[in-house]
């Protein structure tokens, strides 16, 4: 790294980022220059270059600039943890690209009628991206969750977790009914209220996202199925879908 601040021209040569891009990043507050000389030249020190490196990595991972700014400005942002997460996301993308290459070769060898849409599934990458955004995103919901976690002690946390698992047990007991059954929908309403009371304001949008996570994230799926029996996570997700489709205006 440079010992002295670099000019825009030097940053462009070092990184390949255009001067126009640097100006835009400055304009939106994503990457401010370390200082501006009397002549009006923007200068960037190692701290600014480190931030630029994080920006470029997150951009490679298809994160929007607005979300990158929120992540990097989070008071809890940890560069060492972030790079580990970036590596994991790049590994997931590398794995997916490898699968796409293999699939394309199969089409070439076997003909265009080869059918396999699994290789286009990005759910694993999207799930991990959601975790990163929840971790660093500084969203209102996440901040509420952090504050409630701080305000409660370990024993109460365990009690709340057990109560949540009890709710999944009770939903599991209703699997003989259809997801849109009145009794099932009342349980989903109670689940939404429970999450709001103990974690963060659970809007229908957030509840819908949780439903997806309950079946896509193996950790959640296994715990929910353990509480309510095999198929409970899928049943809860279906019931949440019904609930949110009926209450989407709220």
């Amino acid at each position: 790294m440079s010992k002295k601040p670099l000019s825009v021209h030097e940053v462009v040569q070092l990184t390949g980022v255009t001067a126009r891009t640097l100006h835009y990043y400055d304009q939106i507050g994503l990457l401010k220059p370390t200082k501006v000389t009397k002549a009006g030249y923007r200068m960037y020190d190692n701290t600014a270059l480190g931030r630029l490196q994080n920006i470029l990595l997150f951009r490679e991972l298809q994160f929007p600039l607005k979300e990158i700014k929120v992540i990097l400005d989070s008071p809890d942002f940890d560069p060492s943890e972030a790079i580990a997460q970036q590596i994991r996301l790049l590994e997931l993308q590398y794995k997916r690209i490898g699968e796409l290459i293999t699939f394309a070769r199969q089409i070439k060898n076997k003909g265009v009628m080869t059918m396999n849409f699994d290789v286009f599934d990005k759910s694993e990458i999207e799930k991990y991206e959601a975790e990163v955004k929840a971790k660093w995103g500084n969203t209102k919901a996440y901040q509420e969750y952090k504050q409630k976690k701080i305000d409660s002690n370990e024993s109460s946390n365990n009690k709340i977790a057990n109560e949540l698992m009890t709710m999944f047990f009770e939903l599991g007991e209703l699997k003989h009914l259809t997801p849109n059954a009145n009794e099932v929908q009342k349980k989903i309403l109670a689940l939404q209220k429970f999450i709001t009371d103990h974690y963060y304001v659970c809007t229908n949008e957030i509840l819908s996202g949780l439903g997806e996570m309950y079946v896509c994230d193996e950790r959640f799926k296994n715990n929910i199925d353990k509480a309510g029996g095999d198929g409970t996570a899928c049943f809860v997700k279906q019931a949440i879908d019904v609930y949110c489709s009926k209450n989407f205006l709220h």
Side-chain angles (χ1 to χ4, degrees), residues 113-179:
M113 292 306 292
T114 301
M115 293 292 178
N116 177 14
F117 292 96
D118 292 341
V119 294
F120 300 105
D121 181 16
K122 294 182 65 178
S123 60
E124 187 177 10
I125 294 174
E126 289 168 351
K127 180 191 74 176
Y128 195 77
E129 284 179 352
E131 288 186 17
V132 173
K133 291 171 186 177
K135 173 69 176 177
W136 306 117
N138 207 24
T139 61
K140 182 180 178 182
Y142 183 65
Q143 292 305 313
E144 288 176 4
Y145 167 71
K146 281 207 308 181
Q147 188 57 51
K148 289 185 178 180
K149 190 174 182 181
I150 291 170
D151 292 342
S152 61
N153 56 41
E154 186 176 349
S155 61
S156 64
N157 283 338
N158 290 337
K159 182 175 180 291
I160 291 169
N162 289 335
E163 289 176 6
L164 182 60
M165 287 301 108
T166 298
M167 299 188 79
F168 288 127
F169 167 79
E170 292 172 350
L171 279 160
E173 292 289 288
L174 300 177
K175 289 200 299 288
H176 63 284
L177 301 175
T178 59

Side-chain angles (χ1 to χ4, degrees), residues 7-9 11-12 15 17-27 31-33 42 44 52:
S7 67
V8 169
H9 177 69
V11 174
V12 168
T15 66
V17 174
T18 66
R20 184 177 180 180
T21 296
L22 289 173
H23 177 72
Y24 180 66
Y25 287 174
D26 181 12
Q27 189 177 31
L31 179 68
K32 289 289 184 181
R42 300 191 304 276
Y44 297 83
L52 177 58

Side-chain angles (χ1 to χ4, degrees):
M1 299 290 283
S2 173
K3 292 182 179 180
K4 65 180 183 67
L6 302 181
S7 67
V8 169
H9 177 69
E10 289 171 324
V11 174
V12 168
Q13 287 187 319
L14 177 67
T15 66
V17 174
T18 66
R20 184 177 180 180
T21 296
L22 289 173
H23 177 72
Y24 180 66
Y25 287 174
D26 181 12
Q27 189 177 31
I28 65 175
L30 178 60
L31 179 68
K32 289 289 184 181
T34 306
K35 67 177 182 179
V36 179
T37 68
K38 292 181 180 179
Y41 294 108
R42 300 191 304 276
M43 307 297 291
Y44 297 83
D45 65 6
N46 286 345
T47 299
L49 292 176
R51 183 177 173 96
L52 177 58
Q53 182 172 268
N54 264 309
I55 293 169
L56 297 179
L57 275 169
F58 277 119
R59 286 297 290 154
E60 285 294 325
L61 295 166
Q62 307 301 313
F63 278 60
L65 292 177
K66 185 177 180 180
E67 292 179 1
I68 295 173
K69 184 178 185 304
V70 172
I71 290 171
L72 298 183
D73 289 345
S74 169
D76 299 320
F77 181 71
D78 182 345
S80 61
E81 187 172 352
I83 193 65
Q85 292 170 331
Q86 290 164 343
I87 289 170
R88 178 58 181 151
L89 279 167
L90 289 167
E91 287 174 342
L92 290 172
Q93 288 192 353
Y94 177 76
K95 174 187 171 186
R96 182 170 181 268
I97 291 171
E99 291 170 348
L100 286 168
I101 291 172
T102 299
F103 177 60
R105 284 175 175 161
Q106 288 176 347
I107 293 177
K108 180 181 178 182
N109 295 332
K110 298 180 181 179
V112 294
M113 292 306 292
T114 301
M115 293 292 178
N116 177 14
F117 292 96
D118 292 341
V119 294
F120 300 105
D121 181 16
K122 294 182 65 178
S123 60
E124 187 177 10
I125 294 174
E126 289 168 351
K127 180 191 74 176
Y128 195 77
E129 284 179 352
E131 288 186 17
V132 173
K133 291 171 186 177
K135 173 69 176 177
W136 306 117
N138 207 24
T139 61
K140 182 180 178 182
Y142 183 65
Q143 292 305 313
E144 288 176 4
Y145 167 71
K146 281 207 308 181
Q147 188 57 51
K148 289 185 178 180
K149 190 174 182 181
I150 291 170
D151 292 342
S152 61
N153 56 41
E154 186 176 349
S155 61
S156 64
N157 283 338
N158 290 337
K159 182 175 180 291
I160 291 169
N162 289 335
E163 289 176 6
L164 182 60
M165 287 301 108
T166 298
M167 299 188 79
F168 288 127
F169 167 79
E170 292 172 350
L171 279 160
E173 292 289 288
L174 300 177
K175 289 200 299 288
H176 63 284
L177 301 175
T178 59
N180 63 349
N182 189 49
E183 191 174 352
V184 176
Q185 289 299 297
K186 284 182 179 179
K187 290 290 184 185
I188 298 300
L189 174 61
L191 175 65
Q192 185 180 38
K193 184 177 185 304
F194 183 88
I195 294 170
T196 294
D197 290 343
H198 297 286
Y199 296 100
Y200 41 75
V201 175
C202 186
T203 63
N204 289 335
E205 182 180 6
I206 289 176
L207 183 64
S208 178
L210 288 173
E212 290 289 338
M213 189 167 63
Y214 290 162
V215 294
C216 292
D217 190 314
E218 287 299 318
R219 295 166 296 181
F220 281 95
K221 184 176 183 296
N222 291 338
N223 285 333
I224 293 171
D225 283 354
K226 185 177 180 180
D230 289 345
T232 299
C234 184
F235 178 74
V236 172
K237 193 266 183 190
Q238 292 171 347
I240 287 174
D241 286 345
V242 172
Y243 177 88
C244 290
S245 68
K246 289 181 177 179
N247 298 282
F248 66 94
L249 291 178
H250 299 287

